[in-house]
């Protein structure tokens, strides 16, 4: 079955990290997220995928010039302008000449969803499109999907206020589509699958949804990216087994960590340098980041080659952009974003 992976968003909630690197190319415990996503698909027998690119497309193409990612043969399709989710699906499907049932995946989601079961559900219900659902505590960040007892979607409400959400079952970003859906997407301009296509299919009664409570996370905010990293470290995202974890921390062999540093539940990626008496807790250090003597970093993401000055204290939740230098003895906490384009 052919698959379209949506990876063309700008990743605004993960800025400044996403100014240089598209969200799905950010390393998650040392491996770009897109590899994790395609590894899951490969496990369900997917051999070919179309990567629907828009934002910083060359970062994907240059990283995988052979067009094989996690064993899946990938075709790159770049939109001339952002077409939004449905526009991107139609553009990619036309390019790949898709004429049979196909899969669509939000490329920033990690999940242990049983895709084969979703495809079976789709066929057995005679659906035109089927959405995987996942229960969450706060549905207001997501597409909320009330269904009838037989799984037919009654409505699709994108990001409603929390107290107006009709259910806590949300769109998990994995879909099965019949090609007939493509004819219902306008052939130019921006079209949203969440705001245009799904509401129209729901009104026509041809949209179904299957709840599933397997592991699931949308990595698109700093808090969620940190949580996804911790989930990989602690084995909750079982699809990816990582070796070399000690005390809940993963330290790349090329990193230099002073023996007096205390590193718990953290990621220290390639070529990072961690000085004496540093404390890292629920921290993610991206390649080449430096944390100088005595600094404490908790629940924060330190971008590539950024430098955290000595005796600084960074608390939940700082995102430090690539190459940013934080002065010694800085004190930063709250929703901090350091660094521009
Ligand atoms: N090619 C392309 N073109 N891809 C796009 C575009 C575009 O114009 N816009 C967004 N994308 C990609 C993003 O890169 C991401 O992988 C995916 O589409 C979803 O976009 P997000 O920006 O991450 O959306 P969201 O997280 O706010 O909400 C979506 O995902 C939730 C579940 O993870 C919606 O689908 C919600 O309904 C859903 O609950
Ligand atoms: Mg998302």
């Amino acid at each position: 079955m052919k698959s379209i992976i949506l990876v063309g968003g700008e990743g605004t909630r993960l800025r400044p990290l996403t100014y240089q690197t598209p969200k799905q190319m950010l390393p998650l415990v040392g491996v770009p997220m897109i590899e994790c996503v395609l590894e899951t698909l490969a496990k369900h027998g997917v051999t070919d995928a179309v990567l629907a690119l828009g934002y910083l497309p060359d970062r994907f193409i240059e990283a995988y010039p052979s067009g094989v990612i996690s064993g899946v043969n990938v075709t790159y399709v770049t939109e001339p302008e952002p077409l939004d989710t449905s526009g991107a699906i139609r553009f990619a499907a036309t390019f790949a000449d898709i004429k049979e049932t196909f899969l669509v995946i939000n490329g920033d989601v990690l999940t242990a969803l049983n895709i084969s079961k979703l495809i079976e559900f789709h066929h057995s219900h005679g659906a035109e499109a089927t959405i995987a659902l996942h229960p969450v505590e706060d549905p207001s960040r997501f597409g909320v999907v009330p269904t009838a007892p037989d799984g037919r979607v009654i409505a699709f409400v994108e990001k409603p206020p929390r107290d107006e959400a009709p259910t806590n079952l949300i769109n998990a970003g994995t879909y099965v589509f019949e090609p007939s859906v493509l004819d219902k997407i306008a052939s130019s301009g921006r079209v949203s699958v969440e705001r245009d296509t799904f509401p129209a299919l729901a009104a026509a009664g041809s949209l179904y949804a299957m709840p599933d409570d397997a592991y699931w996370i949308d990595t698109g905010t700093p808090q969620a990216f940190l949580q996804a990293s911790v989930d990989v470290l602690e084995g909750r995202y079982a699809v990816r087994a990582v070796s070399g974890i000690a005390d809940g921390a993963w330290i790349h062999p090329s990193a230099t960590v002073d023996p007096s540093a205390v590193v718990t539940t953290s990621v220290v990626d390639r070529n990072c340098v961690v000085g004496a008496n540093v404390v890292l807790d629920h921290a993610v250090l991206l390649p080449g980041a430096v944390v100088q003597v005595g600094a404490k970093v908790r629940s924060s993401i330190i971008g590539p080659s950024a430098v955290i000055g000595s005796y600084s204290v960074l608390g939940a939740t700082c995102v430090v952009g690539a190459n940013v230098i934080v002065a010694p003895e800085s004190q930063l906490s709250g929703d901090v974003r350091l660094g521009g384009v």
Side-chain angles (χ1 to χ4, degrees), residues 50-282:
V50 183
L51 236 51
L53 306 170
Y55 178 66
L56 301 178
D58 293 346
R59 297 301 305 270
F60 294 91
I61 300 167
E62 284 161 10
Y64 309 103
S66 66
V68 179
I69 308 179
S70 303
V72 177
N73 298 313
V74 165
T75 308
Y76 299 113
V77 179
T78 306
E79 291 147 39
E81 58 192 351
L83 295 175
D84 210 338
T85 42
S86 242
I89 294 166
R90 190 194 48 76
F91 189 78
T94 307
F95 185 93
D97 199 25
I98 291 180
K99 297 215 158 29
E100 289 159 12
T101 311
F102 62 102
L103 280 172
V104 178
I105 313 278
N106 279 354
D108 63 340
V109 165
L110 301 181
T111 178
L113 167 75
N114 185 338
I115 295 172
S116 313
K117 207 170 110 192
L118 184 74
I119 297 169
E120 237 175 76
F121 180 101
H122 172 82
H123 288 306
S124 69
H125 286 73
E128 192 173 12
T130 300
I131 307 173
L133 304 179
H134 186 79
V136 294
E137 206 186 298
D138 176 12
S140 63
R141 256 184 65 203
F142 304 105
V144 180
V145 190
T147 55
D150 66 348
R152 192 173 46 78
V153 172
I154 297 166
F156 189 103
V157 198
E158 183 67 6
K159 303 192 174 95
R162 191 171 183 172
D163 55 355
E164 287 174 25
T167 165
N168 72 335
L169 286 172
I170 59 103
N171 166 23
T174 299
Y175 321 130
V176 187
F177 274 23
E178 289 306 311
S180 60
V181 174
L182 299 170
D183 304 331
K184 296 175 177 157
I185 303 172
S187 58
S188 65
R190 294 177 68 93
V191 189
S192 159
V193 80
E194 297 87 355
R195 297 182 196 275
D196 305 312
T197 310
F198 285 153
L201 290 172
S206 62
L207 180 63
Y208 283 75
M210 185 193 87
D212 188 282
D213 57 10
Y215 177 81
W216 182 90
I217 194 165
D218 173 323
T219 60
T221 65
Q223 288 80 1
F225 183 83
L226 285 166
Q227 185 62 52
S229 305
V230 171
D231 288 346
V232 172
L233 292 174
E234 296 184 343
R236 272 186 293 277
Y237 178 53
V239 176
R240 245 201 87 197
V242 179
S243 57
I245 296 173
D247 290 337
W250 180 82
I251 299 171
H252 191 270
S254 65
T256 309
V257 178
D258 190 277
S260 63
V262 179
V263 182
T264 48
T265 319
S266 292
V267 173
V268 180
D269 210 324
R270 292 165 180 76
N271 303 317
C272 287
V273 179
V274 176
N277 301 314
V278 162
V279 175
L280 301 179
D281 182 37
H282 289 74

